[in-house]
Every structure is written in structure tokens, then in C-alpha cells.
Amino acid sequence: MSITIMDEVQRCLKCKNPKCKNACPIGTPVNDVMQMVQKGNLIEAGELLFNNNPLSVVCSLVCPHEIQCEGNCVLGVKGNAVHISNVEHYISDYYLSISKVQCDIDPEKRIAIIGSGPAGITIAVILAARGYDITIYEAHDAIGGVLRYGIPEFRLPKAVLKKIEKRLLDMRVKIRLNTLIGPTITIDNLFRDGFKAVFIGTGVWKPNSLGIKGESLGHVHYAMDYLKNPGVYNLGEKVCVIGAGNVAMDVARTVRRNGCRDVCIMYRRGEEDITALKHEVEYAKLDGVKFEFYKTPVEFLDKGIKYMNLRTEIHGDGTQSEVSAGEGILQCSSVIIAIGQGPRTNIISTTQGIRVNERGLV
């Protein structure tokens, strides 16, 4: 085992009232895991992590640890917090590589899971462990959903997803790829064929649009489409990303890693209003991404973006609003819009009785 991992395990205080665990949205039992590893019980520690969270190996890489477990480690008050994420990843990766699993599946307890993203994978593992006969339907050619197609390789290696897929197959979960539920196979067909229940975990794959002139031009793209397969895009020498969330940061950093030297992010507000996590912004800056603040696009042109400068105006009653401060043109060869996504309608348009909210979510 890496000495750095053992150093972190030894540094952990194994608190009786662990703030790290309490700050984790799913209560990862960090103190118990650390004690098991210190005693040499690596497999048991991995099993505890996996049973608490089947995607522990993923969360150890992509969670915002600095505001959750590590951000609440008592050692971080006056010094360096324990690198919990590194320890968790080592244990979880080792456990998936070494451990074996057996499931007694009851063919009469047939469940369909639509979508193999984080929700679909997690529920498949939990139900298969309880003896349910699970079939996952995935519209793409590989499992993972947003884990595969929405998170760049440098943040979440695809090899991790391969280990998760092997675990699913070992648990006798059936995986049907390249199958979009709705147009040909409907939910009614699933019930007809003996499925007792259906879980819909299809995610949000329909990009939000800006609705401005020029959005249909050939050099304008959407973030989720780009992240699916960035290597096939020819973006030119200068790329502008619209938006300031975590996805926008991932897109900008991916564009840089695919050979574009001049990448900027355009955002209608200031740096203090960026919705992306602070460390994601810092990584983007470190990668050489530039920022254009207080600018909002009003039209896409063949050679760039026509934008409106914005400034904040404070009124006498204390309220504030954004007002125009003139227009300009930002020259760029390609544009990628990263302002969020919504759900597709392939299921609800072919199935009666599924209620959705105003955003189209079940």
C-alpha cells in the first residue's frame, strides 16, 4: 500500500463524533473505515464503503471534498485536513478489483431501470444484492450516463466505469445498450413483458438554448454534446464558452486539453457570482482559461459573438438591476453554450399517467 495513504490513515483521529461523516450527504463512515485500514482489514473497509455507497470509487474523485468531508476535518482547523478522498479512492478501487460477489436472483422479481447514470447504477446494485432480476436500458453505447459523457477523462477516468460495469455483470445485472426507451420499446411494453416495476433515471440531456439569432450556425455547439466526444470537434484557434457553472469549467478545460490555446468564458455577472465551485474556477485559471465578465451574448456572428456590456445599478430602495453599458464583438472561431440542461420527452410522450413538473421532470 502506498505509504502516503497509510500516513493519512495514521493522521486521522478516528473521532467518536466525526464531523467528516456528518458533513457527507450520504454519511460515509470515514472513522470506521480508517480504523479498519489501520488494522489491516482493507477488504472489510472497501465493503463498508461500497455498501454505504456503490459509487464510492466515483465520489472519491468528483465530490466537492473541500466543502464536505475534508472541509470539516478537525485537523484542518489549524493545519492540513486528512486527505480522505485519496484514502477512499484507494480502498474503493482495490475492493472492486479484488472482491468477488454472488447474488441469488429471483426471475419472478423483474425490475427495469431506464438509464445507467449514477442513479440507475446505484439502484441496480442495491436491488440485485436483494435478489431482484435487473435489466438496465441505456440509450448510449456504454454505461455511465453523465459520469461517462458529462465528466472529462482527466477528472474521472473511464477505467473506473469499466470496473463498475464488471461489478454489475458479476451481480447478474443485464445491460441492454443502444436502446432508447420510448420510440420503439415503451414502458407499457416493459410491463407487458413481466417487469414488476420500472425506475426512470434518464437524466437531463436536452441542452438549454439561449434563443438568440445565430444559434443554429455551424460553429455554435452545446456543452453536453461536446463533452460526449470532444475529439471529433474542430473548434479552431479561439473558443468562447457561455456560462459559469461546473460544466462550463469542464468544457473550457477540455477544450484546452484538446489543443486550443485561446479559451475564454463569457459570463453575464462578476467573478463573485460564479456558480461553479471555487476550486473548479481556480483549476480553469491554472489551465489558462480567461474570463470575460459582465457580458451577455445577444447574437452569434460568423466570426464571433455580439455581446452587451452590463453594469449593476443600485436603486434608492436598496434593490439593484443590470443595465446595458454598450455593445461589443468578441472574435472567436467557435462557441460552446453551457447554461444547463433539461429532460427529453421520449418517455413521457409515449406513456400516459406520468406526471411532470413545469421543467418536464418526473
Side-chain angles (χ1 to χ4, degrees):
M1 184 185 294
S2 170
I3 187 63
T4 57
I5 296 298
M6 278 308 301
D7 285 345
E8 294 304 297
V9 171
Q10 296 288 355
R11 285 207 307 124
C12 177
L13 301 178
K14 291 84 176 176
C15 304
K16 292 183 178 180
N17 182 25
K19 292 184 177 181
C20 53
K21 175 181 177 180
N22 297 336
C24 175
I26 52 173
T28 300
V30 177
N31 53 338
D32 296 331
V33 168
M34 294 290 189
Q35 289 179 7
M36 288 179 175
V37 175
Q38 192 167 10
K39 294 177 181 178
N41 300 327
L42 197 59
I43 292 293
E44 291 85 346
E47 184 177 25
L48 181 60
L49 285 171
F50 185 81
N51 289 339
N52 179 72
N53 172 18
L55 290 179
S56 176
V57 69
V58 171
C59 291
S60 64
L61 294 175
V62 301
C63 273
H65 308 104
E66 71 282 359
I67 63 174
Q68 293 178 353
C69 56
E70 294 177 10
N72 287 270
C73 174
V74 295
L75 290 180
V77 176
K78 295 184 178 181
N80 295 323
V82 175
H83 292 120
I84 297 168
S85 55
N86 292 355
V87 178
E88 181 182 9
H89 184 71
Y90 185 96
I91 298 168
S92 298
D93 185 70
Y94 179 81
Y95 175 74
L96 286 177
S97 302
I98 298 297
S99 65
K100 302 296 182 182
V101 63
Q102 290 184 337
C103 296
D104 295 322
I105 302 299
D106 183 350
E108 297 300 317
K109 298 163 62 176
R110 187 177 295 170
I111 306 293
I113 295 178
I114 306 174
S116 67
I121 291 172
T122 301
I123 291 177
V125 169
I126 292 172
L127 293 182
R130 298 179 182 179
Y132 287 89
D133 186 2
I134 305 298
T135 300
I136 294 177
Y137 295 88
E138 171 53 52
H140 295 97
D141 60 0
I143 72 159
V146 70
L147 302 178
R148 179 178 296 276
Y149 299 106
I151 302 179
E153 172 77 16
F154 61 84
R155 287 188 58 205
L156 179 60
K158 302 301 182 284
V160 171
L161 300 178
K162 198 66 180 176
K163 291 187 178 183
I164 293 174
E165 181 181 20
K166 183 179 183 304
R167 173 52 58 103
L168 288 170
L169 294 175
D170 288 345
M171 298 181 79
R172 298 171 62 186
V173 172
K174 304 178 189 73
I175 301 174
R176 182 166 172 172
L177 302 172
N178 295 313
T179 304
L180 180 65
I181 299 297
T184 303
I185 298 176
T186 67
I187 287 184
D188 290 335
N189 294 151
L190 296 175
F191 285 121
R192 176 201 65 191
D193 293 342
F195 287 92
K196 308 300 182 185
V198 176
F199 172 76
I200 303 173
T202 51
V204 284
W205 292 94
K206 180 182 177 182
N208 292 337
S209 68
L210 285 168
I212 62 176
K213 186 178 180 180
E215 199 163 352
S216 64
L217 296 179
H219 63 296
V220 180
H221 311 284
Y222 295 106
M224 291 305 293
D225 297 331
Y226 172 74
L227 288 174
K228 286 179 186 177
N229 195 357
V232 304
Y233 284 77
N234 296 308
L235 300 177
E237 296 181 356
K238 182 173 182 178
V239 177
C240 181
V241 180
I242 309 295
N246 289 329
V247 173
M249 303 303 150
D250 281 345
V251 169
R253 296 177 67 195
T254 302
V255 171
R256 284 283 293 167
R257 281 167 166 75
N258 278 269
C260 183
R261 294 187 176 184
D262 195 345
V263 182
C264 71
I265 287 177
M266 180 179 287
Y267 184 44
R268 66 192 305 271
R269 294 178 179 170
E271 183 168 3
E272 67 280 1
D273 300 311
I274 286 179
T275 56
L277 294 171
K278 183 178 179 181
H279 78 276
E280 297 291 349
V281 178
E282 294 302 320
Y283 275 127
K285 291 180 179 179
L286 188 63
D287 284 354
V289 176
K290 303 170 187 175
F291 289 81
E292 297 283 347
F293 294 114
Y294 297 109
K295 294 179 174 66
T296 187
V298 294
E299 182 181 351
F300 296 120
L301 309 172
D302 286 328
K303 295 184 179 180
I305 304 171
K306 183 179 181 181
Y307 63 85
M308 180 186 298
N309 279 307
L310 299 174
R311 63 180 175 84
T312 302
E313 188 174 84
I314 301 176
H315 306 290
D317 59 359
T319 61
Q320 58 185 39
S321 61
E322 294 175 341
V323 296
S324 173
E327 294 183 342
I329 294 178
L330 187 144
Q331 300 283 338
C332 62
S333 53
S334 293
V335 179
I336 302 179
I337 302 171
I339 58 170
Q341 303 85 232
R344 292 174 176 169
T345 60
N346 52 287
I347 290 179
I348 63 170
S349 64
T350 57
T351 308
Q352 294 185 352
I354 299 179
R355 294 179 309 200
V356 296
N357 63 14
E358 66 280 357
R359 293 181 57 202
L361 299 172
V362 174

